[in-house]
Amino acid sequence: MTSDKPAHSWAPPPADASRVGITLETFILEGQLGHPAATGAFTSLLNQIGLAAKLVTAKVRRAGLARLLGYTGQTNVQGELVQKLDEEANETLISVLGRRKHCAAIASEELETERILSTDPRAKYLVVFDPLDGSSNIDCNISIGTIFGVLRKSSTHTVETSDFLRPGRELVAAGYILYGSSTMLIITTGTGGVHGFTYDPTVGEFFLSHENIRIPDRASLYSINEGNSTYWHESVQRWNAWVKEEDKATGRPYGARYVGSLVADAHRTLMKGGIFAYPGDRKSPSGKLRLLYEANPFAFIFEAAGGKASTGRERILDIQPTALHQRVPLALGSIRDVEIFEEFVRSER
Ligand code: P6P
């Protein structure tokens, strides 16, 4: 393994006066996301996602008071008990995205199959989302999040499942909302940089707070559920031992961080660098995370921020999906840290 010093965490550039107070809506309207084919419809769709984020954060922030915690008693397509907030967030996103007729259809973690929202020929976009990721943390007030990706509709016929089964490199936008100590919305169109907006509940607006986020090339942090180590393939066990060895030249031992909420673990990794991994193992050969609405959006974001996302063997964004809810092993983070992880996986005996 090469020895290269880990870089420092990304820190937002000093906000100069001209950049303070820019709202998400202004930033999108001014095409500052750098989307080459920015049209009114695309702008409108992204602003609708911003509205959905405000509505969901309002529910998340008062869940305990509005007795939204707990379970509905139903189970979703994943066989998981649906929490009331999951359902609320799912319905909010569907309702808001259906209003302006730019979104032809959605695919959600909470729905077995796609949902057609508009057959209007002007509806040019498809949206994939996990409405409330990390739901197992909802009742203990740990950070959770919404993950989304936007595809351009590639066919003229009414949307079918196959319209969603496209490699993540075809996304035209992706982002997430993190309901943490503050609510943040992170968004990218892939080419125009990755930008963070922090929600001010006193005025009900997302304000630009982290312009052009770049992930450090490497950092001494790793994030993985070590409770699964008995099931890991031997190469992952060797990697896990390697990050914990002492070697000052490569910033080891790495610090361990694990929330158990993908949006929280991924956001910290984006901001500070290092690696998040949910690998395949003997128990779950394809890992746990979903390709379409978890791995692909984050892979799109991390590559746009100068990071890397792979299964350990192949680029996430090149995977040809075969099913809406298929799982995929995920190694996400600083380019050098993911490369080191890949070197171990490829050395599997
Ligand atoms: P584990 C939450 O349920 C989730 O889908 C992701 O948000 C998170 O990264 C992962 O599962 C955590 O899984 O097995 O470590 O509890």
Side-chain angles (χ1 to χ4, degrees), residues 42 45-46 49 125-127 148-152 170-174:
F42 185 67
L45 179 76
L46 294 184
I49 291 174
Y125 295 100
L126 307 177
V127 181
F148 65 89
V150 181
L151 290 162
R152 277 188 72 84
E170 294 186 24
L171 286 166
V172 292

Side-chain angles (χ1 to χ4, degrees), residues 40 66 91 118 300:
E91 289 310 315
S118 172
F300 192 75

Side-chain angles (χ1 to χ4, degrees), residues 10-13 19 27 32-33 186-188 190-197 208-215 270-271 304-306:
W10 181 88
R19 308 304 293 162
F27 198 85
Q32 295 183 54
L33 271 171
I186 306 292
I187 190 167
T188 183
T191 51
V194 179
H195 308 285
F197 298 81
L208 180 66
S209 55
H210 295 68
E211 190 167 13
N212 199 23
I213 296 170
R214 301 294 294 169
I215 185 171
L270 181 68
M271 300 308 290

Side-chain angles (χ1 to χ4, degrees), residues 28-71:
I28 294 172
L29 277 169
E30 289 177 355
Q32 295 183 54
L33 271 171
H35 189 266
T39 66
F42 185 67
T43 299
S44 172
L45 179 76
L46 294 184
N47 277 312
Q48 285 299 89
I49 291 174
L51 172 61
K54 294 178 186 177
L55 295 168
V56 174
T57 200
K59 295 181 191 314
V60 168
R61 294 290 170 213
R62 54 178 173 74
L65 303 175
R67 291 188 306 283
L68 277 177
L69 297 186
Y71 293 92

Side-chain angles (χ1 to χ4, degrees), residues 249-267:
T250 52
R252 291 182 291 150
Y254 278 20
R257 299 285 186 278
Y258 195 74
V259 178
S261 186
L262 174 60
V263 180
D265 285 317
H267 181 69

Side-chain angles (χ1 to χ4, degrees), residues 133-136 225 228 258 260-263 276 278 288-289 294:
D133 173 77
S135 46
S136 56
N225 183 343
N228 293 328
Y258 195 74
S261 186
L262 174 60
V263 180
F276 167 87
Y278 208 110
K288 176 178 184 181
L289 302 175
E294 290 177 329

